[in-house]
Each structure stands twice: as C-alpha cells, then as structure tokens.
Amino acid sequence: MVFKTCDEDHKGYLSREDFKIAVVMLFGYKPSKIEVDSVMSSINPNTSGILLEGFLNIVRKKKEAQRYRNEARHIFTAFDTYYRGFLTLEDFKKAFRQVAPKLPERTVLEVFREVDRDSDGHISFRDFEYALNYGQKEA
C-alpha cells in the first residue's frame, strides 16, 4: 500500500514530503505547492501529518475527479470527429442531433455561444469541461 510505503519511519501519518511522493506514485505527477498547501491546511492541527483515513479520502476524491475528467474527454473526443482538439458549431449541431434530435437549432446555437466562453467559434476541451461542470459545484 502506498501509504505504508511513503510512511517509511512508521509514524502513522504522511508528512508534506511523504504526501508529495504518494501523489507521484498514485497519479504520476508532482502536486503543486498550492495543492499540497490546501491538503495540509485541511488536516487536524493536533496531528503532524495526514492520517490514513484522511489520505484515503483525498485519494478517493482525486480518483473520482480523474474518472470524471476521463469520461468528459471521452465524450468530447466522440464529438470531435475530425480530431482537431475543438468543436465547431457544425460539430456541436451534429452531436446534438444524435443525443437530442428534437432540440430546436436555435437552442443549440444558444448553448454553443454560452459554452464558447472566449467567443472564438471553437469549443475547446477546457470550455467543454467547464460546461459539464457548470452547476455541479453547488450540488
């Protein structure tokens, strides 16, 4: 188990450095200072680091976020039939004809304009992901 491996001194918790190593081992990237600061500030001040239960909660949330992002990427790629890395209005209309054929074209155009946050006529994956997440934070 990663927790035990990173808790080399058998302290029963992960220090800031231990946590960074655990993230690299599990997710393949070095966490930013902001991410580590956020995690470390959320732990109980009476402990010297992240306990197993807290670590498992962090990992669970990160895995869920990773899975959701992978699903979003899969959907985006299915709509991006020309593999350009963005969706045009035509791509968007075609996708909506497949998933919501009765939706008026005017509504599709309104949605496209809303999702195309920088108004460049293209929906990037970032725009698409933002649209999928819109309203999710309040739930």
Side-chain angles (χ1 to χ4, degrees):
M1 176 179 210
V2 173
F3 186 90
K4 284 183 181 176
T5 302
C6 293
D7 179 19
E8 290 178 345
D9 303 332
H10 309 290
K11 306 173 295 288
Y13 63 85
L14 297 182
S15 68
R16 181 183 188 88
E17 290 305 311
D18 296 337
F19 175 72
K20 287 183 196 177
I21 294 167
V23 170
V24 170
M25 290 174 71
L26 285 169
F27 298 100
Y29 75 93
K30 182 180 175 192
S32 68
K33 181 182 182 325
I34 294 169
E35 182 179 354
V36 176
D37 287 348
S38 172
V39 167
M40 297 310 286
S41 70
S42 69
I43 62 172
N44 184 334
N46 297 329
T47 63
S48 300
I50 305 164
L51 300 175
L52 178 60
E53 185 178 335
F55 178 71
L56 292 175
N57 284 335
I58 292 165
V59 169
R60 190 176 307 112
K61 287 177 186 171
K62 288 181 80 52
K63 289 255 184 218
E64 286 171 11
Q66 191 177 49
R67 189 171 26 258
Y68 182 80
R69 187 174 174 93
N70 288 344
E71 288 173 10
R73 176 62 74 180
H74 183 75
I75 294 166
F76 181 83
T77 302
F79 292 163
D80 182 16
T81 55
Y82 296 104
Y83 306 105
R84 295 176 293 211
F86 60 84
L87 304 177
T88 63
L89 177 57
E90 288 309 310
D91 297 330
F92 211 65
K93 286 178 184 177
K94 184 178 174 185
F96 270 90
R97 278 194 299 269
Q98 291 173 352
V99 297
K102 292 185 174 25
L103 198 63
E105 191 166 320
R106 181 183 75 252
T107 305
V108 175
L109 180 58
E110 288 171 12
V111 171
F112 182 86
R113 287 183 178 149
E114 184 75 24
V115 175
D116 181 18
R117 295 185 305 157
D118 58 4
S119 302
D120 66 353
H122 298 125
I123 295 177
S124 64
F125 177 68
R126 178 175 249 154
D127 292 336
F128 186 77
E129 188 177 39
Y130 177 83
L132 288 177
N133 290 328
Y134 188 80
Q136 295 292 316
K137 303 295 183 223
E138 295 87 28

